[in-house]
Amino acid sequence: MLYLSDISVTFNEDTPDEKKALQDINLTLEQGEFVTVIGSNGAGKSTLMNVVSGSLKPDIGTVKINNKDVTPLPEFKRSNYIGRVFQDPMAGTAPSMTIEENLAMAYARNKKRRFRIGVTKKRRELFREYLNTLHLGLEDRLNAKVGMLSGGERQALSLLMATFTEPNILLLDEHTAALDPSRAELITKLTGDVVEKFHLTTLMVTHNMQQALDLGNRLIMMDKGQIILDVSGEEKQDLTIEKLLQEFQRIRGEQLVNDRAVLG
Amino acid sequence: MFFSMFGAVESGIIFAIMALGVYLSFRVLDFPDLTVDGSFVTGAAVAAMCIVNGVSPIIATVLAAVAGFVAGNITGILNTKGKINPLLSGILMMTALYSINLRIMGGSPNIPLLNEPTVFNFLETAWEKTGIDQFLNGLLTSIGVEVVPGTWIVIFVMIIITVIVKLITDYYLKTEIGLALRATGDNEKMIRSLSANTDTLKIVGLGFSNGLVALSGALIAQNDGFVDLKSGIGMIVIGLASVIIGEALFGKKTIVRTTLAVILGAIVYRMVVTAALKVDFLETGDMKLISAILVVAALVTPKVIATVREQKRRQRKRIDLNNKAKGA
Ligand SMILES: Nc1ncnc2c1ncn2[C@@H]1O[C@H](COP(=O)(O)OP(=O)(O)OP(=O)(O)O)[C@@H](O)[C@H]1O
Ligand SMILES: [Mg+2]
């Protein structure tokens, strides 16, 4: 499980550009909880993900994973516990390396890397099995360079790479935003499947409200660096886009002015 | 002509090890590492000083590679821990090494190795017994070559060493650590999110790269019979030329293929330079200029060819379309 307490992040403190990206965030995710995160541009969603992954250190506050305080750990050490998919399909894979080599690197994520061959026969079989579950035919292209794949294929591969080692925490930051609608739908479906299959504790940022409602068993809304809404269980199942927008207006006393969010 | 080409191939194979080192930094790590100009001489100087002081040439050569490894490590530390940009880290290290090399050489800018044992003459007595020299030179004489090489031992020893280095490099790049090293040059953010310590990978990778460069320097010194403090100037360009020419001529589909291409590229490079120096108007001093021009040519030519081809293709399509329109 994931435990965040009193997390604050301020960028450019004491300058005219000062920005309180996160203010006193407290959030606990139980094992297997799948939380979708929505909020307008600049609300602090990506910053929250970066604080969890360790690519950003909070000014104050504690991050615990499985009751272990990981706040001082650098990103590469923390990624033993964390699988991550980025928004940019180019970001999650190494383009000049082959599909099987990319999978081999992901396979080594929670193990110690050694001077032994990365892609063995046995592992290749394993990779093929996993790729099969994507239904994209990638299992027949193990030796293709990843740079040759389409954005959707790359993102599906990134998702597989982030999840098949069953991380304690899965972080998804708008990982379908750069894809066309049909590809986005495919990745959304794969996400639901894989999270369920491995029972992963997941934090997923999205601008697509429908996606946020369809996926997961808990939803949080962020604004100006704070969590302003947190619904789960039946209450979440009963939510609609209408209700979400009304809720935002009630809490903030203003319209949620964000085309992407409203249209999504 | 045969004789000078023989020399070109001979030193080409020795420089191939340096080129493999440059391939590791320049291509695999995507780190244009100028340390090479210094670490090449460091290797030569360490080997020479050891040999002059009675150390066995094999141990001296190994120590040279270790010295290069350490030099590469320091460049890596400057870059990753000191957050100095890659080019500048290399330039700083190269500059520092110039003084360090002079220190290693006991303050003298040139050390002769003429009557000292080397890895090559070490095996000479055993080699002479095999009679390979007489056999190959006999073959050459029979096909009409007049000036035959004194000995083939250098080529044979170097082929063995280079093949071993290539096989180790190929293996290394396929290990779990090697994959992470390649990903560090390809997509650093990604491999960090897969729990690899990219700082350490860079430091070790640059060490490995400069270790090979220094090994090459040590072998060149033993083959040439001297070390010169200034012999490293422009070495990075020679390495780049070998990598780029090799990749352009022999392909880079897989790692195994690319490392072979780099080795062959180093040999081709030497042969081209040797041939160029045969032109009356050019002198030995023009070598660096020739190197630079070769690199530019190897970089630009493939692009020009591709553009021209693309233009022709489009032109053809347009003509086809016109003809069709007329026909209809
Ligand atoms: N490295 C940084 N330096 C300065 N300011 C930053 C930095 N990163 C983020 N910010 C600021 O912090 C705020 C929160 O940014 P963040 O990226 O977390 O928003 P977000 O909720 O992910 O928005 P989006 O929906 O547009 O992705 C923004 O105002 C942003 O400009
Ligand atoms: Mg964001």
PDB file of all heavy atoms in Angstrom, chain A residues 117-143:
ATOM      1  N   ILE A 117      23.360 -13.048 -19.514  1.00  0.00           N
ATOM      2  CA  ILE A 117      22.595 -12.706 -20.713  1.00  0.00           C
ATOM      3  C   ILE A 117      21.175 -12.270 -20.333  1.00  0.00           C
ATOM      4  O   ILE A 117      20.509 -12.923 -19.533  1.00  0.00           O
ATOM      5  CB  ILE A 117      22.563 -13.922 -21.665  1.00  0.00           C
ATOM      6  CG1 ILE A 117      23.965 -14.186 -22.217  1.00  0.00           C
ATOM      7  CG2 ILE A 117      21.580 -13.705 -22.802  1.00  0.00           C
ATOM      8  CD1 ILE A 117      24.473 -13.135 -23.175  1.00  0.00           C
ATOM      9  N   GLY A 118      20.739 -11.143 -20.921  1.00  0.00           N
ATOM     10  CA  GLY A 118      19.441 -10.570 -20.555  1.00  0.00           C
ATOM     11  C   GLY A 118      18.261 -11.305 -21.175  1.00  0.00           C
ATOM     12  O   GLY A 118      17.229 -11.493 -20.539  1.00  0.00           O
ATOM     13  N   VAL A 119      18.403 -11.702 -22.439  1.00  0.00           N
ATOM     14  CA  VAL A 119      17.303 -12.386 -23.117  1.00  0.00           C
ATOM     15  C   VAL A 119      17.665 -13.864 -23.291  1.00  0.00           C
ATOM     16  O   VAL A 119      18.354 -14.235 -24.222  1.00  0.00           O
ATOM     17  CB  VAL A 119      17.023 -11.764 -24.508  1.00  0.00           C
ATOM     18  CG1 VAL A 119      15.787 -12.419 -25.117  1.00  0.00           C
ATOM     19  CG2 VAL A 119      16.826 -10.271 -24.399  1.00  0.00           C
ATOM     20  N   THR A 120      17.231 -14.686 -22.372  1.00  0.00           N
ATOM     21  CA  THR A 120      17.487 -16.124 -22.493  1.00  0.00           C
ATOM     22  C   THR A 120      16.289 -16.785 -23.165  1.00  0.00           C
ATOM     23  O   THR A 120      15.232 -16.177 -23.316  1.00  0.00           O
ATOM     24  CB  THR A 120      17.678 -16.761 -21.110  1.00  0.00           C
ATOM     25  OG1 THR A 120      16.505 -16.482 -20.345  1.00  0.00           O
ATOM     26  CG2 THR A 120      18.874 -16.179 -20.396  1.00  0.00           C
ATOM     27  N   LYS A 121      16.485 -18.039 -23.562  1.00  0.00           N
ATOM     28  CA  LYS A 121      15.407 -18.777 -24.222  1.00  0.00           C
ATOM     29  C   LYS A 121      14.160 -18.817 -23.346  1.00  0.00           C
ATOM     30  O   LYS A 121      13.042 -18.562 -23.784  1.00  0.00           O
ATOM     31  CB  LYS A 121      15.876 -20.217 -24.475  1.00  0.00           C
ATOM     32  CG  LYS A 121      16.065 -20.519 -25.945  1.00  0.00           C
ATOM     33  CD  LYS A 121      16.116 -22.012 -26.147  1.00  0.00           C
ATOM     34  CE  LYS A 121      16.294 -22.333 -27.613  1.00  0.00           C
ATOM     35  NZ  LYS A 121      17.237 -23.399 -27.843  1.00  0.00           N
ATOM     36  N   LYS A 122      14.398 -19.133 -22.086  1.00  0.00           N
ATOM     37  CA  LYS A 122      13.272 -19.278 -21.155  1.00  0.00           C
ATOM     38  C   LYS A 122      12.504 -17.973 -21.026  1.00  0.00           C
ATOM     39  O   LYS A 122      11.275 -17.945 -21.058  1.00  0.00           O
ATOM     40  CB  LYS A 122      13.834 -19.699 -19.784  1.00  0.00           C
ATOM     41  CG  LYS A 122      12.974 -20.733 -19.074  1.00  0.00           C
ATOM     42  CD  LYS A 122      13.668 -21.254 -17.823  1.00  0.00           C
ATOM     43  CE  LYS A 122      13.033 -20.675 -16.582  1.00  0.00           C
ATOM     44  NZ  LYS A 122      13.889 -20.822 -15.388  1.00  0.00           N
ATOM     45  N   ARG A 123      13.263 -16.890 -20.886  1.00  0.00           N
ATOM     46  CA  ARG A 123      12.611 -15.592 -20.734  1.00  0.00           C
ATOM     47  C   ARG A 123      11.867 -15.218 -22.000  1.00  0.00           C
ATOM     48  O   ARG A 123      10.792 -14.621 -21.947  1.00  0.00           O
ATOM     49  CB  ARG A 123      13.654 -14.515 -20.429  1.00  0.00           C
ATOM     50  CG  ARG A 123      14.155 -14.623 -19.016  1.00  0.00           C
ATOM     51  CD  ARG A 123      14.984 -13.436 -18.663  1.00  0.00           C
ATOM     52  NE  ARG A 123      15.725 -13.685 -17.441  1.00  0.00           N
ATOM     53  CZ  ARG A 123      16.690 -12.913 -17.004  1.00  0.00           C
ATOM     54  NH1 ARG A 123      17.047 -11.862 -17.704  1.00  0.00           N
ATOM     55  NH2 ARG A 123      17.314 -13.185 -15.885  1.00  0.00           N
ATOM     56  N   ARG A 124      12.456 -15.539 -23.152  1.00  0.00           N
ATOM     57  CA  ARG A 124      11.809 -15.208 -24.424  1.00  0.00           C
ATOM     58  C   ARG A 124      10.409 -15.841 -24.481  1.00  0.00           C
ATOM     59  O   ARG A 124       9.451 -15.205 -24.907  1.00  0.00           O
ATOM     60  CB  ARG A 124      12.666 -15.697 -25.576  1.00  0.00           C
ATOM     61  CG  ARG A 124      12.236 -15.156 -26.916  1.00  0.00           C
ATOM     62  CD  ARG A 124      13.224 -15.520 -28.003  1.00  0.00           C
ATOM     63  NE  ARG A 124      14.428 -14.707 -27.957  1.00  0.00           N
ATOM     64  CZ  ARG A 124      15.656 -15.181 -28.090  1.00  0.00           C
ATOM     65  NH1 ARG A 124      15.843 -16.468 -28.274  1.00  0.00           N
ATOM     66  NH2 ARG A 124      16.695 -14.377 -28.053  1.00  0.00           N
ATOM     67  N   GLU A 125      10.311 -17.088 -24.018  1.00  0.00           N
ATOM     68  CA  GLU A 125       9.009 -17.765 -23.988  1.00  0.00           C
ATOM     69  C   GLU A 125       8.032 -17.005 -23.093  1.00  0.00           C
ATOM     70  O   GLU A 125       6.869 -16.798 -23.432  1.00  0.00           O
ATOM     71  CB  GLU A 125       9.163 -19.205 -23.474  1.00  0.00           C
ATOM     72  CG  GLU A 125       9.576 -20.195 -24.551  1.00  0.00           C
ATOM     73  CD  GLU A 125       8.857 -19.943 -25.869  1.00  0.00           C
ATOM     74  OE1 GLU A 125       7.609 -19.948 -25.879  1.00  0.00           O
ATOM     75  OE2 GLU A 125       9.548 -19.704 -26.889  1.00  0.00           O
ATOM     76  N   LEU A 126       8.544 -16.624 -21.929  1.00  0.00           N
ATOM     77  CA  LEU A 126       7.733 -15.880 -20.967  1.00  0.00           C
ATOM     78  C   LEU A 126       7.232 -14.573 -21.595  1.00  0.00           C
ATOM     79  O   LEU A 126       6.047 -14.231 -21.520  1.00  0.00           O
ATOM     80  CB  LEU A 126       8.597 -15.582 -19.739  1.00  0.00           C
ATOM     81  CG  LEU A 126       7.920 -14.955 -18.545  1.00  0.00           C
ATOM     82  CD1 LEU A 126       7.080 -16.005 -17.836  1.00  0.00           C
ATOM     83  CD2 LEU A 126       8.972 -14.394 -17.577  1.00  0.00           C
ATOM     84  N   PHE A 127       8.167 -13.849 -22.253  1.00  0.00           N
ATOM     85  CA  PHE A 127       7.805 -12.572 -22.886  1.00  0.00           C
ATOM     86  C   PHE A 127       6.725 -12.801 -23.932  1.00  0.00           C
ATOM     87  O   PHE A 127       5.793 -12.018 -24.074  1.00  0.00           O
ATOM     88  CB  PHE A 127       9.020 -11.927 -23.554  1.00  0.00           C
ATOM     89  CG  PHE A 127      10.116 -11.559 -22.599  1.00  0.00           C
ATOM     90  CD1 PHE A 127      11.409 -11.352 -23.050  1.00  0.00           C
ATOM     91  CD2 PHE A 127       9.861 -11.422 -21.241  1.00  0.00           C
ATOM     92  CE1 PHE A 127      12.429 -11.016 -22.168  1.00  0.00           C
ATOM     93  CE2 PHE A 127      10.865 -11.087 -20.352  1.00  0.00           C
ATOM     94  CZ  PHE A 127      12.159 -10.891 -20.823  1.00  0.00           C
ATOM     95  N   ARG A 128       6.880 -13.875 -24.701  1.00  0.00           N
ATOM     96  CA  ARG A 128       5.914 -14.170 -25.758  1.00  0.00           C
ATOM     97  C   ARG A 128       4.521 -14.371 -25.146  1.00  0.00           C
ATOM     98  O   ARG A 128       3.528 -13.846 -25.644  1.00  0.00           O
ATOM     99  CB  ARG A 128       6.365 -15.425 -26.505  1.00  0.00           C
ATOM    100  CG  ARG A 128       5.799 -15.498 -27.897  1.00  0.00           C
ATOM    101  CD  ARG A 128       6.457 -16.579 -28.723  1.00  0.00           C
ATOM    102  NE  ARG A 128       7.586 -16.086 -29.475  1.00  0.00           N
ATOM    103  CZ  ARG A 128       8.709 -16.758 -29.678  1.00  0.00           C
ATOM    104  NH1 ARG A 128       8.851 -17.948 -29.138  1.00  0.00           N
ATOM    105  NH2 ARG A 128       9.677 -16.245 -30.388  1.00  0.00           N
ATOM    106  N   GLU A 129       4.474 -15.101 -24.038  1.00  0.00           N
ATOM    107  CA  GLU A 129       3.190 -15.334 -23.366  1.00  0.00           C
ATOM    108  C   GLU A 129       2.548 -14.014 -22.940  1.00  0.00           C
ATOM    109  O   GLU A 129       1.361 -13.785 -23.182  1.00  0.00           O
ATOM    110  CB  GLU A 129       3.398 -16.190 -22.115  1.00  0.00           C
ATOM    111  CG  GLU A 129       3.195 -17.673 -22.334  1.00  0.00           C
ATOM    112  CD  GLU A 129       3.692 -18.460 -21.133  1.00  0.00           C
ATOM    113  OE1 GLU A 129       3.339 -18.076 -19.993  1.00  0.00           O
ATOM    114  OE2 GLU A 129       4.453 -19.420 -21.338  1.00  0.00           O
ATOM    115  N   TYR A 130       3.372 -13.160 -22.320  1.00  0.00           N
ATOM    116  CA  TYR A 130       2.829 -11.876 -21.864  1.00  0.00           C
ATOM    117  C   TYR A 130       2.347 -11.046 -23.045  1.00  0.00           C
ATOM    118  O   TYR A 130       1.276 -10.437 -22.997  1.00  0.00           O
ATOM    119  CB  TYR A 130       3.882 -11.093 -21.080  1.00  0.00           C
ATOM    120  CG  TYR A 130       4.041 -11.559 -19.664  1.00  0.00           C
ATOM    121  CD1 TYR A 130       5.255 -12.039 -19.196  1.00  0.00           C
ATOM    122  CD2 TYR A 130       2.972 -11.512 -18.772  1.00  0.00           C
ATOM    123  CE1 TYR A 130       5.407 -12.470 -17.893  1.00  0.00           C
ATOM    124  CE2 TYR A 130       3.102 -11.933 -17.465  1.00  0.00           C
ATOM    125  CZ  TYR A 130       4.321 -12.410 -17.028  1.00  0.00           C
ATOM    126  OH  TYR A 130       4.470 -12.827 -15.748  1.00  0.00           O
ATOM    127  N   LEU A 131       3.139 -11.000 -24.127  1.00  0.00           N
ATOM    128  CA  LEU A 131       2.766 -10.192 -25.291  1.00  0.00           C
ATOM    129  C   LEU A 131       1.459 -10.691 -25.912  1.00  0.00           C
ATOM    130  O   LEU A 131       0.672  -9.911 -26.437  1.00  0.00           O
ATOM    131  CB  LEU A 131       3.886 -10.217 -26.334  1.00  0.00           C
ATOM    132  CG  LEU A 131       5.107  -9.366 -25.999  1.00  0.00           C
ATOM    133  CD1 LEU A 131       6.265  -9.682 -26.935  1.00  0.00           C
ATOM    134  CD2 LEU A 131       4.775  -7.881 -26.081  1.00  0.00           C
ATOM    135  N   ASN A 132       1.257 -12.003 -25.828  1.00  0.00           N
ATOM    136  CA  ASN A 132       0.024 -12.595 -26.320  1.00  0.00           C
ATOM    137  C   ASN A 132      -1.211 -11.932 -25.747  1.00  0.00           C
ATOM    138  O   ASN A 132      -2.211 -11.729 -26.441  1.00  0.00           O
ATOM    139  CB  ASN A 132      -0.008 -14.073 -25.926  1.00  0.00           C
ATOM    140  CG  ASN A 132       0.048 -14.944 -27.161  1.00  0.00           C
ATOM    141  OD1 ASN A 132      -0.557 -14.601 -28.172  1.00  0.00           O
ATOM    142  ND2 ASN A 132       0.777 -16.042 -27.090  1.00  0.00           N
ATOM    143  N   THR A 133      -1.122 -11.564 -24.463  1.00  0.00           N
ATOM    144  CA  THR A 133      -2.290 -10.998 -23.787  1.00  0.00           C
ATOM    145  C   THR A 133      -2.669  -9.634 -24.357  1.00  0.00           C
ATOM    146  O   THR A 133      -3.765  -9.147 -24.111  1.00  0.00           O
ATOM    147  CB  THR A 133      -2.042 -10.827 -22.276  1.00  0.00           C
ATOM    148  OG1 THR A 133      -0.958  -9.909 -22.099  1.00  0.00           O
ATOM    149  CG2 THR A 133      -1.676 -12.151 -21.621  1.00  0.00           C
ATOM    150  N   LEU A 134      -1.762  -8.994 -25.126  1.00  0.00           N
ATOM    151  CA  LEU A 134      -2.081  -7.681 -25.700  1.00  0.00           C
ATOM    152  C   LEU A 134      -2.889  -7.811 -26.986  1.00  0.00           C
ATOM    153  O   LEU A 134      -3.510  -6.848 -27.427  1.00  0.00           O
ATOM    154  CB  LEU A 134      -0.794  -6.899 -26.004  1.00  0.00           C
ATOM    155  CG  LEU A 134       0.135  -6.571 -24.844  1.00  0.00           C
ATOM    156  CD1 LEU A 134       1.350  -5.818 -25.366  1.00  0.00           C
ATOM    157  CD2 LEU A 134      -0.581  -5.733 -23.802  1.00  0.00           C
ATOM    158  N   HIS A 135      -2.842  -8.998 -27.605  1.00  0.00           N
ATOM    159  CA  HIS A 135      -3.549  -9.234 -28.877  1.00  0.00           C
ATOM    160  C   HIS A 135      -3.162  -8.228 -29.952  1.00  0.00           C
ATOM    161  O   HIS A 135      -4.000  -7.733 -30.691  1.00  0.00           O
ATOM    162  CB  HIS A 135      -5.073  -9.201 -28.676  1.00  0.00           C
ATOM    163  CG  HIS A 135      -5.540 -10.186 -27.661  1.00  0.00           C
ATOM    164  ND1 HIS A 135      -5.414 -11.552 -27.842  1.00  0.00           N
ATOM    165  CD2 HIS A 135      -6.089 -10.027 -26.438  1.00  0.00           C
ATOM    166  CE1 HIS A 135      -5.881 -12.172 -26.778  1.00  0.00           C
ATOM    167  NE2 HIS A 135      -6.293 -11.267 -25.909  1.00  0.00           N
ATOM    168  N   LEU A 136      -1.880  -7.881 -30.012  1.00  0.00           N
ATOM    169  CA  LEU A 136      -1.437  -6.935 -31.043  1.00  0.00           C
ATOM    170  C   LEU A 136      -0.474  -7.614 -32.020  1.00  0.00           C
ATOM    171  O   LEU A 136       0.072  -6.972 -32.913  1.00  0.00           O
ATOM    172  CB  LEU A 136      -0.730  -5.738 -30.391  1.00  0.00           C
ATOM    173  CG  LEU A 136      -1.617  -4.772 -29.617  1.00  0.00           C
ATOM    174  CD1 LEU A 136      -0.771  -3.757 -28.861  1.00  0.00           C
ATOM    175  CD2 LEU A 136      -2.573  -4.055 -30.550  1.00  0.00           C
ATOM    176  N   GLY A 137      -0.227  -8.902 -31.808  1.00  0.00           N
ATOM    177  CA  GLY A 137       0.695  -9.609 -32.694  1.00  0.00           C
ATOM    178  C   GLY A 137       2.162  -9.309 -32.407  1.00  0.00           C
ATOM    179  O   GLY A 137       3.038  -9.679 -33.167  1.00  0.00           O
ATOM    180  N   LEU A 138       2.429  -8.629 -31.300  1.00  0.00           N
ATOM    181  CA  LEU A 138       3.822  -8.273 -30.998  1.00  0.00           C
ATOM    182  C   LEU A 138       4.656  -9.509 -30.663  1.00  0.00           C
ATOM    183  O   LEU A 138       5.881  -9.492 -30.799  1.00  0.00           O
ATOM    184  CB  LEU A 138       3.880  -7.278 -29.833  1.00  0.00           C
ATOM    185  CG  LEU A 138       3.273  -5.901 -30.092  1.00  0.00           C
ATOM    186  CD1 LEU A 138       3.441  -5.003 -28.875  1.00  0.00           C
ATOM    187  CD2 LEU A 138       3.918  -5.252 -31.304  1.00  0.00           C
ATOM    188  N   GLU A 139       3.979 -10.590 -30.241  1.00  0.00           N
ATOM    189  CA  GLU A 139       4.723 -11.798 -29.876  1.00  0.00           C
ATOM    190  C   GLU A 139       5.493 -12.382 -31.070  1.00  0.00           C
ATOM    191  O   GLU A 139       6.441 -13.117 -30.900  1.00  0.00           O
ATOM    192  CB  GLU A 139       3.799 -12.856 -29.259  1.00  0.00           C
ATOM    193  CG  GLU A 139       2.656 -13.338 -30.141  1.00  0.00           C
ATOM    194  CD  GLU A 139       1.446 -12.396 -30.097  1.00  0.00           C
ATOM    195  OE1 GLU A 139       1.561 -11.298 -29.520  1.00  0.00           O
ATOM    196  OE2 GLU A 139       0.397 -12.751 -30.660  1.00  0.00           O
ATOM    197  N   ASP A 140       5.090 -12.003 -32.292  1.00  0.00           N
ATOM    198  CA  ASP A 140       5.794 -12.496 -33.477  1.00  0.00           C
ATOM    199  C   ASP A 140       6.871 -11.524 -33.948  1.00  0.00           C
ATOM    200  O   ASP A 140       7.493 -11.723 -34.966  1.00  0.00           O
ATOM    201  CB  ASP A 140       4.804 -12.732 -34.626  1.00  0.00           C
ATOM    202  CG  ASP A 140       3.712 -13.707 -34.221  1.00  0.00           C
ATOM    203  OD1 ASP A 140       4.040 -14.678 -33.518  1.00  0.00           O
ATOM    204  OD2 ASP A 140       2.543 -13.474 -34.583  1.00  0.00           O
ATOM    205  N   ARG A 141       7.031 -10.439 -33.208  1.00  0.00           N
ATOM    206  CA  ARG A 141       8.000  -9.410 -33.637  1.00  0.00           C
ATOM    207  C   ARG A 141       9.019  -9.121 -32.537  1.00  0.00           C
ATOM    208  O   ARG A 141       9.483  -7.990 -32.396  1.00  0.00           O
ATOM    209  CB  ARG A 141       7.255  -8.120 -33.993  1.00  0.00           C
ATOM    210  CG  ARG A 141       6.253  -8.315 -35.140  1.00  0.00           C
ATOM    211  CD  ARG A 141       5.347  -7.111 -35.280  1.00  0.00           C
ATOM    212  NE  ARG A 141       6.068  -5.920 -35.743  1.00  0.00           N
ATOM    213  CZ  ARG A 141       5.536  -4.701 -35.788  1.00  0.00           C
ATOM    214  NH1 ARG A 141       4.293  -4.502 -35.375  1.00  0.00           N
ATOM    215  NH2 ARG A 141       6.228  -3.683 -36.219  1.00  0.00           N
ATOM    216  N   LEU A 142       9.380 -10.158 -31.800  1.00  0.00           N
ATOM    217  CA  LEU A 142      10.278  -9.977 -30.652  1.00  0.00           C
ATOM    218  C   LEU A 142      11.567  -9.255 -31.011  1.00  0.00           C
ATOM    219  O   LEU A 142      12.150  -8.548 -30.190  1.00  0.00           O
ATOM    220  CB  LEU A 142      10.619 -11.336 -30.033  1.00  0.00           C
ATOM    221  CG  LEU A 142       9.520 -11.971 -29.186  1.00  0.00           C
ATOM    222  CD1 LEU A 142       9.945 -13.345 -28.721  1.00  0.00           C
ATOM    223  CD2 LEU A 142       9.224 -11.080 -27.991  1.00  0.00           C
ATOM    224  N   ASN A 143      12.044  -9.433 -32.260  1.00  0.00           N
ATOM    225  CA  ASN A 143      13.319  -8.833 -32.633  1.00  0.00           C
ATOM    226  C   ASN A 143      13.180  -7.518 -33.383  1.00  0.00           C
ATOM    227  O   ASN A 143      14.158  -6.995 -33.910  1.00  0.00           O
ATOM    228  CB  ASN A 143      14.135  -9.819 -33.462  1.00  0.00           C
ATOM    229  CG  ASN A 143      14.874 -10.788 -32.558  1.00  0.00           C
ATOM    230  OD1 ASN A 143      15.558 -10.364 -31.625  1.00  0.00           O
ATOM    231  ND2 ASN A 143      14.702 -12.072 -32.794  1.00  0.00           N
TER     232      ASN A 143
END
